[in-house]
Amino acid sequence: MTMHDAQNPRELALLVLDEIYERGAYANLALKRAVRGNGLSSLDRKLCTELVYGTVKTTGTLDWYLCRVINRPFRKMAPRLRTILRMGAYQILYLERIPDSAAVNECANLARYYVNENSVKLVNGVLRQLSRTKATWQFPQKEEDATLRLALTYYHPEWLVRRWKFRFGLPEAEAMCAYDNAVPSLCLRVNTLFISRKTLLERLQADGCEVEPSKWSPDGIVCRHLPSLETLMKEWGRFLYIQDESSMLDADVLAPKPGDLVLDFCAAPGGKTTHLAQKMENKGKIIAMDIHDHRLTLIEENATRLGITNIRALLHDGTKPLPGFENRADAVLVDAPCSGLGVLNRRAEARWTKKERTLSQFPPLQKKILAQAAACVKPGGRLLYSTCTLERDENSRVRTAFLESHPEFRSKAFLHPVTGERVEELQILPWRDGIDGFYLALFEKVE
């Protein structure tokens, strides 16, 4: 059965969760595809959304509970059966408005239709047992179990909590987890080619939107309450781009000028690229690169919508040389592929798909791309390196290694966007700064 044939919100949620767990889909994109044109009522759509995001977010904690009431290895069960049990457990443990009996019955029906008749008894038994005993289960309370307790309480993998505890201390690790669980803020970047922030703020407020200027970027607007995004984009599409405050910092810090030649090495989907174009007043040229052809289309579509004409999208592997651009660019941006541990607040599934053993793959890749980008910077030109992670191996240590291996570059100080102090690198910490975890380091090629 396809997602568009699904008859009820639980059925649709199961199919979306399948996409996420088994095929690595992004939760927000899979859900958006599923509900579009499905014909569910707004109430059913709300339930489907709650089941998908809630189940994905609490996966590790749901598994901990389920392992206590199942007398066989949970990991060895059929993937779809595991998903049905997780969905049922989420409703029993976290959705008070749904009676446990309704959750059990609905999940048993899903098992009958999507697994087999034999699985119905198992689903019934496990979920009823969980319903009966849920109040008796306690997370480990001993001092030495603090990391596990935090991981279960805040729905994060234990390895990640342990990492943050080692780096920042237990209270900060807890604060970081709490930040990830909060509802993400919605931020807009004003397209200053066509409207000022002041004017757009006034017009949005006149339309009944609760909005305020970002303190982090002169082009940012933070939204407290809006009509639907669809309505917003229909009315104001050309004047804004949905973009987090942290990622607006790249264009603000690199600060290209009108007429510059700018290279953006990892550009898709084009948020930072189109922001650079605004800083350049749509004059000069930006070469926006990505390794995936289909993602270049996103850059072009976003540029067209925003009325930007100075961007050229180019299919290019950033770890390889870029012929014809040696020592030519005034400004180069490397917003590098990274572990993304600073933006888990926006990606419900990412906390479970990321693995500690894979973190080591990023620094070598980041150094390769930086080396190729460096070759394109002209004497006196600037190179900005950024990531959306908190990992030192991907941030300050990459910066140090770059300066050691590239004596033709020096660190260039820039102003902290809020305090105004001069800094040579900037690590945004979400629980302290209230925005996504980003890192920026600016370099200048010596003339």
Side-chain angles (χ1 to χ4, degrees), residues 77 119 130 184 193-195 202-203 221 303 368 371 395 447:
M77 286 183 173
S119 65
L130 181 60
L193 296 174
F194 294 101
I195 197 167
E202 286 168 356
R203 290 194 187 172
I221 290 178
K368 270 186 192 171
N395 293 344
E447 294 199 51

Side-chain angles (χ1 to χ4, degrees), residues 26-240:
Y26 288 179
N28 60 339
L29 299 181
L31 189 60
K32 197 173 169 183
R33 272 198 309 274
V35 298
R36 192 190 293 134
N38 189 278
L40 291 181
S41 69
S42 62
L43 213 58
D44 280 351
R45 193 179 297 149
K46 206 171 170 184
L47 176 58
C48 178
T49 302
E50 171 70 47
L51 290 176
V52 170
Y53 280 136
T55 303
V56 170
K57 189 155 118 178
T58 58
T59 294
T61 307
L62 298 176
D63 290 1
W64 183 86
Y65 276 105
L66 287 167
C67 285
R68 269 141 193 79
V69 292
I70 292 175
N71 55 9
R72 63 176 81 178
F74 182 61
R75 295 263 160 227
K76 290 185 178 170
M77 286 183 173
R80 190 163 272 178
L81 184 55
R82 279 204 308 262
T83 302
I84 291 170
L85 287 169
R86 282 170 178 160
M87 228 169 86
Y90 177 69
Q91 293 169 78
I92 289 166
L93 294 166
Y94 298 110
L95 289 188
E96 287 176 11
R97 68 182 181 275
I98 293 177
D100 289 2
S101 57
V104 175
N105 291 338
E106 292 286 350
C107 285
N109 289 335
L110 289 173
R112 179 175 290 112
Y113 189 84
Y114 283 99
V115 187
N116 54 43
E117 194 61 43
N118 294 339
S119 65
V120 176
K121 193 176 169 190
L122 175 96
V123 168
N124 257 319
V126 168
L127 294 181
R128 283 190 177 155
Q129 173 76 346
L130 181 60
S131 173
R132 276 195 303 271
T133 61
K134 62 183 175 183
T136 65
W137 300 113
Q138 241 201 341
F139 295 151
Q141 295 300 307
K142 291 180 188 166
E143 185 61 38
E144 60 267 30
D145 294 326
T147 309
L148 176 60
R149 185 166 63 250
L150 212 59
L152 292 169
T153 305
Y154 289 97
Y155 330 124
H156 278 64
E158 193 182 356
W159 69 262
L160 186 53
V161 178
R162 192 184 311 113
R163 237 179 141 77
W164 287 342
K165 178 189 168 193
F166 176 76
R167 168 92 187 276
F168 303 111
L170 197 63
E172 285 76 12
E174 183 170 6
M176 182 66 203
C177 291
Y179 177 88
D180 284 348
N181 286 348
V183 176
S185 60
L186 179 73
C187 302
L188 312 173
R189 190 191 81 230
V190 181
N191 183 2
T192 50
L193 296 174
F194 294 101
I195 197 167
S196 70
R197 177 166 77 170
K198 183 174 180 290
T199 305
L200 186 58
L201 273 167
E202 286 168 356
R203 290 194 187 172
L204 289 171
Q205 284 162 348
D207 275 0
C209 302
E210 286 176 35
V211 288
E212 60 194 49
S214 163
K215 65 178 183 180
W216 288 93
S217 172
D219 299 329
I221 290 178
V222 182
C223 307
R224 302 294 172 211
H225 175 73
L226 282 175
S228 76
L229 272 183
E230 211 176 322
T231 309
L232 184 78
M233 295 309 286
K234 199 176 282 183
E235 190 160 349
W236 300 103
R238 195 174 205 200
F239 298 108
L240 54 87

Side-chain angles (χ1 to χ4, degrees), residues 364-377:
L365 175 63
Q366 291 154 347
K367 288 170 189 172
K368 270 186 192 171
I369 297 172
L370 259 182
Q372 298 301 344
C376 300
V377 182

Side-chain angles (χ1 to χ4, degrees), residues 386-419:
S386 72
T387 72
C388 56
T389 190
L390 312 178
E391 291 291 303
R392 276 187 294 207
D393 284 350
E394 300 177 59
N395 293 344
S396 53
R397 285 174 186 146
V398 167
R399 172 182 175 271
T400 302
F402 175 77
L403 288 169
E404 284 171 358
S405 59
H406 292 80
E408 75 277 23
F409 278 85
R410 65 182 171 210
S411 181
K412 184 169 175 59
F414 56 94
L415 298 182
H416 187 291
V418 173
T419 66

